[in-house]
Amino acid sequence: MFDFTGADCCCSCNIPADSLAQKVDDFPYFKGGVVAWSRFLQNNLDLTRTVGAMDSVAYAKYGSKQTAILNFIVCEDGAICNIEIENREKVSPEFAKAVLAAMRKSPQWMPALVKGKPVKTKFRQPVVAVIE
């Protein structure tokens, strides 16, 4: 399991599930929306080592298109922490490391809202890359 807590995160590494909002009115999102998220990944997801490690065995095992499914917590202030790759057995170790390194650089997100008030909640986000 890949796991880290950002230095400026508002929450601890082991957040009890009952402290997270399960039902929200508005889901958390990356500031600036999908376009900004794509730009962030383009600028921060370094696939150099992933490409270098992709030999014929790795291509056969993981494929050239890899999708890392991230699970993480978005805190009330938008900080993210407790990032895990849900499907790490389906992505190359180098791609997993690159995705986590990029997420460590993530700015704060817009938090989830319940009745207009920011709440801490779990979020699931895929990261897709074609490795050639």
Side-chain angles (χ1 to χ4, degrees), residues 49-67 88-96 129 131-132:
R49 289 188 177 151
T50 304
V51 171
M54 290 298 286
D55 58 15
S56 59
V57 174
Y59 272 111
K61 184 172 182 177
Y62 304 111
S64 61
K65 182 178 180 183
Q66 296 186 38
T67 302
R88 71 178 193 166
E89 71 285 347
K90 294 185 179 182
V91 299
S92 70
E94 292 80 12
F95 182 57
I131 302 157
E132 299 175 335

Side-chain angles (χ1 to χ4, degrees), residues 28-85:
Y29 62 91
F30 191 82
K31 290 180 183 178
V34 176
V35 172
W37 171 248
S38 295
R39 189 176 321 114
F40 170 79
L41 287 177
Q42 288 173 353
N43 293 333
N44 293 283
L45 184 59
D46 182 0
L47 297 176
T48 307
R49 289 188 177 151
T50 304
V51 171
M54 290 298 286
D55 58 15
S56 59
V57 174
Y59 272 111
K61 184 172 182 177
Y62 304 111
S64 61
K65 182 178 180 183
Q66 296 186 38
T67 302
I69 307 296
L70 297 174
N71 286 310
F72 54 92
I73 292 171
V74 180
C75 296
E76 297 95 331
D77 67 353
I80 61 170
C81 62
N82 288 36
I83 299 175
E84 300 174 346
I85 296 180

